[in-house]
Amino acid sequence: MVGRTEEITIMKQLFTSKEAELLAIVGRRRVGKTFLIREVYKENIVFEFVGIQNGSRKEQLNNFLFELKNTFGKENIPALVDNWLEAFQVLITSLSNILPQKKQVIFIDELPWIAGPKSDFLKAFGYFWNSWASKNNVVVAVCGSATSWMLKNLVQDKGGLHNRVTRTLYLLPFTCRETHLFLKERGIKFNEQQVTELYMALGGIPYYLKLVGKGMSVPQVLDKLCFEDKAPLKQEFQSLYAALFTNADKYIAVIKACYSQWKGVTQNEIVKLSGIPSGGTLTQIVDDLEVSGFLTSTMPFGNIKKEKRYRLSDEFSVFYLKFMENKKNTNFNLINQSQAFKAWQGYSFENFCFKHIHKIKQKLGISGIISNQYAYAIKGNGDFEGSQIDLIIDRNDQCINICEVKYLDKPLVINKQYGRQLQLRLENFKWQTGTKKTLFLTLITKSGIQTNHYEGHLVDSEVVLSDFYR
């Protein structure tokens, strides 16, 4: 298995502990939660139940009984139960008859689909844990793709499950390096540039990466997965949000609002762009999308109002909205030659850098220094020119890295004009913000910098694509 080293270690520790464990694994859809549980605990799962998307209470109960019969035989399983309390009592009786001394695992998948608003599932699940599971030699593993629901209704529950979850694991998408290793293990011979370009379109989502076929270029892969008539990801955008959120149309409206400006939008701008009134509903939607990993919020550097900006950081959603939604041109060989594609690459590489900020800090030798990262943009007026900086790393050692991010096929050339532009950018930033910190100019590029007189005087540090894969 590629990656997940820390998660696997923790899961094995839970299995060997002397106490009952209630493990909750949360993470966005398609990130590999189910696979991880099945892989780590494959020899020890004595009962597994998966919820039905949009299933009624009756359908979920019938499915639960069906799994009980498949696992324990039909003899002692009733044909019908009236509620979840009765269903869990059947499970307790069945487990009590077969559990050996060695710890065993009960796995309940897609919990949010089972525990709908009119379901008594969580109350009965709390009874199951408190009355039986917590007193026996078991790991009860639960997961769900609706991250915000899992946190609110299970991990932070104030009722019968309050403080009952013994460990919560947040499963994140693969990093670019993990993506490279994952593809290599599957026989995909992409170099670092090709992995990056695939990552910028699909992100590090294992389900999407499993669809990548051998012997194809990145444009061929994206054409096959996203643009052909029966492309497997053609309807993924709608399915993704519908599977995670009730009233998915409102969530999609917020996603599109945050997509409208690459540097992000404020909550007031989301109100105007989405048509959703300001208030608790909108705040909940924004929070749900952020905790689920679709949006990233930043506090602009030096912003006196301290107003967060939200940017769409989910790679596939950006790619879909840019090139797939309501687009007549479905020939990706033409799309990837367009100016719009080049512009998208520039934004996506910025997003890539924010996602892998730990690698940038590692290359700069500042991993151990407390720091925060920002995007920066100020409109000009009569006194000064406007400034836009792709990435700022504000450090606690009285230094700031001003990062210029460029995704170019050839080494970046800093000529006299561009060098003057960069110098003015540093001077304007210092004057506008009033910072007393030392400014370092850092260039983050795909192909490096062409060495010359201007580069030597201006650039303090450099990060290239290969640094993200070390």
Side-chain angles (χ1 to χ4, degrees), residues 245-469:
F245 306 111
T246 306
N247 299 320
D249 55 328
K250 291 185 177 180
Y251 285 81
I252 290 174
V254 171
I255 286 290
K256 290 181 177 180
C258 295
Y259 163 77
S260 66
Q261 296 184 37
W262 284 0
K263 296 297 181 184
V265 293
T266 65
Q267 193 160 123
N268 287 335
E269 289 171 328
I270 293 174
V271 171
K272 294 176 184 177
L273 292 165
S274 69
I276 301 172
S278 180
T281 299
L282 178 61
T283 300
Q284 186 64 57
I285 291 172
V286 171
D287 289 347
D288 288 349
L289 289 169
E290 185 174 9
V291 78
S292 299
F294 295 100
L295 302 183
T296 301
S297 67
T298 55
M299 198 73 77
F301 183 89
N303 187 346
I304 297 174
K305 294 181 180 179
K306 300 298 180 185
E307 192 170 19
K308 280 185 180 180
R309 300 190 75 85
Y310 298 89
R311 59 189 283 163
L312 177 57
S313 53
D314 177 63
E315 292 84 359
F316 178 75
S317 294
V318 173
F319 185 80
Y320 174 85
L321 292 171
K322 183 68 177 177
F323 299 113
M324 296 173 65
E325 185 182 51
N326 300 324
K327 296 295 190 294
K328 293 181 180 178
N329 186 3
T330 58
N331 184 337
F332 191 69
N333 289 319
L334 297 177
I335 291 171
N336 72 353
Q337 300 300 318
S338 67
Q339 192 57 43
F341 187 79
K342 299 294 183 186
W344 164 79
Q345 280 189 321
Y347 165 74
S348 295
F349 190 55
E350 287 180 33
N351 194 30
F352 180 89
C353 291
F354 271 94
K355 286 276 183 80
H356 294 85
I357 191 69
H358 62 290
K359 284 294 184 181
I360 296 173
K361 293 178 181 179
Q362 180 179 304
K363 174 62 185 296
L364 297 177
I366 60 172
S367 297
I369 299 171
I370 297 172
S371 60
N372 292 299
Q373 48 276 354
Y374 308 89
Y376 179 82
I378 287 185
K379 292 181 180 180
N381 58 28
D383 297 322
F384 60 83
E385 292 183 4
S387 291
Q388 182 169 303
I389 298 172
D390 301 324
L391 172 62
I392 293 169
I393 303 175
D394 184 20
R395 298 154 44 176
N396 273 23
D397 60 353
Q398 296 304 303
C399 300
I400 297 175
N401 289 86
I402 304 294
C403 302
E404 181 86 347
V405 179
K406 295 291 183 184
Y407 194 79
L408 303 172
D409 290 331
K410 298 179 180 179
L412 177 65
V413 177
I414 301 178
N415 56 26
K416 183 177 181 180
Q417 181 181 357
Y418 185 39
R420 180 58 182 159
Q421 181 184 339
L422 292 172
Q423 186 64 50
L424 281 173
R425 196 168 295 170
L426 295 174
E427 292 171 2
N428 281 343
F429 176 82
K430 197 154 196 170
W431 185 74
Q432 290 166 11
T433 62
T435 183
K436 302 298 183 183
K437 293 185 176 183
T438 300
L439 303 186
F440 295 130
L441 179 62
T442 298
L443 270 291
I444 305 174
T445 65
K446 169 185 171 183
S447 306
I449 309 170
Q450 184 172 306
T451 303
N452 59 27
H453 169 77
Y454 300 106
E455 175 269 337
H457 280 75
L458 271 174
V459 180
D460 297 291
S461 52
E462 179 184 358
V463 179
V464 295
L465 195 60
S466 60
D467 293 318
F468 292 94
Y469 290 86

Side-chain angles (χ1 to χ4, degrees), residues 130-161:
N130 292 320
S131 68
W132 186 85
S134 63
K135 302 172 185 177
N136 283 274
N137 194 26
V138 296
V139 174
V140 179
V142 297
C143 69
S145 299
T147 303
S148 55
W149 188 99
M150 290 286 290
L151 294 176
K152 180 180 178 181
N153 294 283
L154 181 68
V155 178
Q156 300 162 2
D157 179 60
K158 303 300 182 184
L161 289 167

